[in-house]
Amino acid sequence: MAIPFIDLQAQRARLGQPLEDAILAVVRSGAFIMGPDIAKLEAELGRFGQAPHVLTCGSGTEALVLPLMAWGIGPGDAVFCPSFTFAATAEVMPLVGASPVFVDILDDTYNLDPVKLDAAITAVKAEGKLVPRAVIAVDLFGQPADYPAISEVAQRHGLKLIADSAQGFGCTLNGQHPIHWADVTTTSFFPAKPLGCYGDGGAILSKDAGFHDLLMSLRVHGQAVKSDIEGRTFDHDPKYLNMRVGMNARMDTIQAAVLLQKLTIFEDEIRARNVVADRYAAGLSNVVTVPKVIAGGTSVWAQYTIETPDRDGLIAHLKTAEIPTAVYYPIPIHRQGVYSVYPQGVGGLPVTEAKSERVMSLPMHPYLEADVQDQIISAIRAYAGRNA
Ligand SMILES: *Cc1c(COP(=O)(O)O)cnc(C)c1O
């Protein structure tokens, strides 16, 4: 049987009938939009992610764009982010009229380099063309960015900090979730993410009640929220009072129902992913470069990404053994046509460019069995031995 890269069917079998019942319950209730499962999920996510406020939304991309809108970030503003990431991280800046500024990553964790971030912000300030407003750090492949250092830099320059935890929801650093340091954590529930739903979905974790209120308004076309209505009287339903320009960024209730089921096993799945990662490291560390997690950090292993100079050869070899692989990311964002016009940090992005030619990801999910994993490890070792 072919080895899956991610095995969502094994998870579905484990969740069984209660998952299907939960979906059917929404269908029978008819509460497709903002049904009771939405508020329930927001409370559960807040408890899990140690955040006082959680707003669900339609995708991880919407989760990134709503805070930029709430802070009024737009034309003439700069938002600093890595280029070694999924396009959505950088896409949201042009969406609001702002400019991404691409900053290089650390050689060992693939996450934003705080020293290069500091230099990039200083250079943009000195140039005076763009106004630095925010930083988006990414928890790439599931592990936390260096938040103590990054948040120190952001605060010193007076910038907001977003943790793009689309791949890293559930990761911690010194026992704390990214929201401990960031103003906002965003995540995605795209099916292939560590915590995925059965379609598109996302969430925004935040710490400030007024800011959460603003996000709530923007999620539904800028509709009046409690703080807009308080102390005023209306001769019409204030639901149709639009206080600001927003959008439709709601999560479907069915997705919330799915996520409430999946959240019950998520912690156990993170443990299982770490067992898989440890087994890979034990079997592969002397033949390829295996991932390094930041000191004090735990990863949720969205990907298990190795480095090897002969990537294409290894991928082809594994393909003949019916072992699937993937390359995240073959073209850094700053090298893609539409994004190549935006500024880069001081000294360019040499680490990002080198990594894009060496990285490849192996099958990784909580249900990867030891004998199947041994097959993968043996195939990689055989290839490395033959080419040594
Ligand atoms: C997946 C992903 C997103 C976007 O999430 P969607 O739900 O697909 O919109 C944003 N940032 C990163 C780093 C991602 O991996």
Side-chain angles (χ1 to χ4, degrees), residues 1-255:
M1 206 181 75
I3 297 171
F5 190 68
I6 293 176
D7 194 349
L8 288 172
Q9 290 308 326
Q11 183 198 50
R12 194 173 77 88
R14 173 180 178 181
L15 288 164
Q17 197 60 41
L19 176 79
E20 294 178 12
D21 290 347
I23 295 170
L24 201 55
V26 177
V27 174
R28 288 184 171 140
S29 78
F32 300 113
I33 302 294
M34 298 306 285
D37 281 347
I38 293 287
K40 250 187 249 170
L41 176 65
E42 288 172 343
E44 288 298 319
L45 290 171
R47 207 163 51 174
F48 180 88
Q50 294 172 358
H53 304 283
V54 177
L55 186 98
T56 56
C57 58
S59 70
T61 308
E62 288 172 357
L64 286 165
V65 81
L66 288 173
L68 300 186
M69 289 169 76
W71 289 322
I73 290 175
D77 291 336
V79 179
F80 299 79
C81 69
S83 169
F84 200 56
T85 179
F86 182 63
T89 308
E91 179 182 41
V92 292
M93 281 70 113
L95 275 180
V96 297
S99 172
V101 176
F102 294 110
V103 178
D104 212 2
I105 50 170
L106 295 165
D107 182 67
D108 53 357
T109 62
Y110 311 125
N111 278 331
L112 204 56
D113 181 332
V115 173
K116 289 182 178 173
L117 173 65
D118 196 1
I121 298 167
T122 304
V124 168
K125 278 185 168 171
E127 200 188 25
K129 282 197 200 145
L130 294 167
V131 180
R133 295 288 307 276
V135 175
I136 304 182
V138 175
D139 299 327
L140 200 75
F141 303 151
Q143 71 158 309
D146 186 354
Y147 287 108
I150 292 169
S151 64
E152 187 279 322
V153 172
Q155 274 171 30
R156 182 156 39 79
H157 288 283
L159 310 187
K160 300 289 187 193
L161 175 59
I162 296 179
D164 177 354
S165 214
Q167 301 178 17
F169 186 66
C171 75
T172 58
L173 183 57
N174 304 325
Q176 304 281 356
H177 290 256
I179 192 66
H180 178 76
W181 295 275
D183 295 290
V184 163
T185 295
T186 65
T187 195
S188 162
F189 303 119
F190 179 81
K193 309 283 179 177
L195 181 62
C197 57
Y198 284 169
D200 278 308
I204 306 169
L205 287 67
S206 62
K207 297 189 273 205
D208 178 82
F211 182 72
H212 174 73
D213 242 23
L214 191 51
L215 294 174
M216 203 186 292
S217 170
L218 291 168
R219 175 174 65 178
V220 188
H221 311 289
Q223 76 176 17
V225 288
K226 225 168 44 199
S227 53
D228 295 314
I229 295 168
E230 259 158 16
R232 295 177 59 179
T233 50
F234 298 93
D235 50 13
H236 55 78
D237 186 347
K239 185 178 165 190
Y240 295 105
L241 187 63
N242 302 91
M243 304 296 295
R244 47 195 70 83
V245 175
M247 62 193 285
N248 171 12
R250 292 177 297 240
M251 172 186 277
D252 291 345
T253 312
I254 286 178
Q255 301 306 338

Side-chain angles (χ1 to χ4, degrees), residues 341-356:
V341 299
Y342 295 109
Q344 300 172 11
V346 186
L349 294 101
V351 181
T352 298
E353 284 165 13
K355 295 301 176 190
S356 68

